[in-house]
Amino acid sequence: MKALKLTILSLFLTAYAFAEISPIEKSALVALYNETNGANWTAQWNLEDDVSTWYGVTIEDDKVVGINLQFNNLNGILPMAIGDLTNLRHMNLGFNKLSGVLPKTLSKLKNLRSLELFMNSFEGTIPNELGELENLESLKLYSNKLSGTIPETLMQLTNLKELLLGSNFLTGTIPNDIYALSNLQKLSLMDNQLTGEIPVEIAQLNQLEELLLSTNQLTGDLPAEFMNLTNLNTFMVSDNNLNEEYISVSGKNPPSLMRLEMQSSTATMDLEKE
């Protein structure tokens, strides 16, 4: 009887050690591999091996919770099946050659905390559905070919700490409801085609540390209320159509924002640095 119990326990432990993720999640990963030319990835997956051995995939409790494939020569589109990875908390596909539109099925990733798709060639509009990712803390879509307006639905992401949409082809105005992102620390909309005035509501983002709005077509004045942004240490609004030009500053103790009229040079700063 004792030997039987040990055998059963051994079989149980063996099964547990090699327990696999669900077929749906594995199918989604395989779709990602196939749709992004996995055979030519820098670090490839052997689809015959256990998923736990696949480069850049993090598994906890038999669930895929992380994908980090930046700098891995992904070339192709992001498949609709990506939305089946419903346990994902972090996804970083930055610095690749991904193209096509952002699939609306990303909205199914309700546990997602960071979505990093920067430095690719995604085009089309930013899906309104991304506003359903209520746990999202970091959204990095900069340096793509995205167009259209900034979705109002993104203002529902009240846990967001980083919103980096710079270096795209975004048009329209900055949503006045941006004040709803009360936890925001970094906001970059630089190098787009945004118009209208800089919303005074940004001054309500008292956690804001970086504000990058340069190289757009923004007009009007810099709101005086910005002086209340006491945590702001990186600031850039140059190359717009504002009534005044302002130098770019970076540092823990920047000068008063209302005394930054452009003279002859700008301060050196790192932009959207990982």
Side-chain angles (χ1 to χ4, degrees):
M1 178 63 71
K2 183 176 181 181
L4 178 60
K5 289 182 178 180
L6 289 175
T7 300
I8 294 174
L9 178 61
S10 176
L11 290 173
F12 173 78
L13 291 176
T14 300
Y16 180 82
F18 292 96
E20 296 183 353
I21 63 174
S22 71
I24 292 178
E25 287 193 316
K26 184 172 183 179
S27 178
L29 290 175
V30 172
L32 174 64
Y33 186 82
N34 290 332
E35 293 291 343
T36 59
N37 199 17
N40 288 313
W41 285 4
T42 303
Q44 301 174 18
W45 293 345
N46 185 337
L47 301 185
E48 300 300 320
D49 289 345
D50 190 270
V51 178
S52 63
T53 68
W54 292 4
Y55 173 80
V57 177
T58 301
I59 298 175
E60 293 180 5
D61 299 323
D62 297 331
K63 297 178 177 61
V64 178
V65 298
I67 298 177
N68 186 351
L69 295 173
Q70 64 173 338
F71 285 112
N72 204 43
N73 199 38
L74 277 66
N75 191 344
I77 64 171
L78 203 55
M80 298 285 284
I82 200 72
D84 292 332
L85 297 170
T86 54
N87 297 294
L88 266 185
R89 296 199 296 265
H90 305 282
M91 180 161 64
N92 186 344
L93 303 180
F95 293 104
N96 282 294
K97 303 173 184 177
L98 297 171
S99 56
V101 300
L102 298 176
K104 295 181 179 180
T105 53
L106 287 170
S107 65
K108 296 168 61 178
L109 308 181
K110 304 299 185 184
N111 294 302
L112 207 59
R113 297 176 188 171
S114 64
L115 178 59
E116 303 178 70
L117 303 176
F118 54 87
M119 297 295 293
N120 281 286
S121 296
F122 288 111
E123 55 190 12
T125 60
I126 299 174
N128 288 321
E129 288 79 4
L130 292 187
E132 299 175 22
L133 302 177
E134 59 183 22
N135 290 309
L136 203 61
E137 297 179 0
S138 179
L139 179 58
K140 300 180 181 180
L141 303 179
Y142 62 85
S143 296
N144 279 286
K145 299 178 181 179
L146 298 170
S147 57
T149 59
I150 300 172
E152 292 279 352
T153 55
L154 295 187
M155 305 305 111
Q156 301 172 13
L157 303 176
T158 55
N159 289 310
L160 210 59
K161 296 179 180 179
E162 299 179 305
L163 179 58
L164 307 184
L165 306 179
S167 297
N168 281 291
F169 299 98
L170 300 177
T171 56
T173 60
I174 301 173
N176 291 328
D177 289 347
I178 199 165
Y179 68 87
L181 304 181
S182 57
N183 291 301
L184 205 61
Q185 298 173 4
K186 297 181 180 181
L187 174 62
S188 175
L189 306 176
M190 63 181 294
D191 192 22
N192 278 291
Q193 300 169 12
L194 299 173
T195 57
E197 297 189 353
I198 299 175
V200 66
E201 287 82 2
I202 290 178
Q204 298 182 41
L205 303 176
N206 54 26
Q207 302 297 317
L208 202 61
E209 298 174 1
E210 296 185 10
L211 177 60
L212 309 179
L213 303 178
S214 63
T215 317
N216 279 287
Q217 300 170 24
L218 300 171
T219 56
D221 296 309
L222 188 67
E225 289 83 355
F226 277 23
M227 293 183 68
N228 297 323
L229 295 173
T230 56
N231 289 310
L232 193 65
N233 56 53
T234 300
F235 170 78
M236 192 171 184
V237 294
S238 60
D239 297 318
N240 277 290
N241 296 320
L242 299 174
N243 294 333
E244 298 284 348
E245 285 290 335
Y246 300 88
I247 66 171
S248 302
V249 296
S250 180
K252 293 184 178 180
N253 297 295
S256 172
L257 296 181
M258 302 312 293
R259 296 292 182 270
L260 297 179
E261 288 81 9
M262 178 71 76
Q263 299 298 324
S264 59
S265 64
T266 59
T268 301
M269 58 189 296
D270 294 326
L271 304 180
E272 293 181 337
K273 184 176 180 180
E274 288 299 295

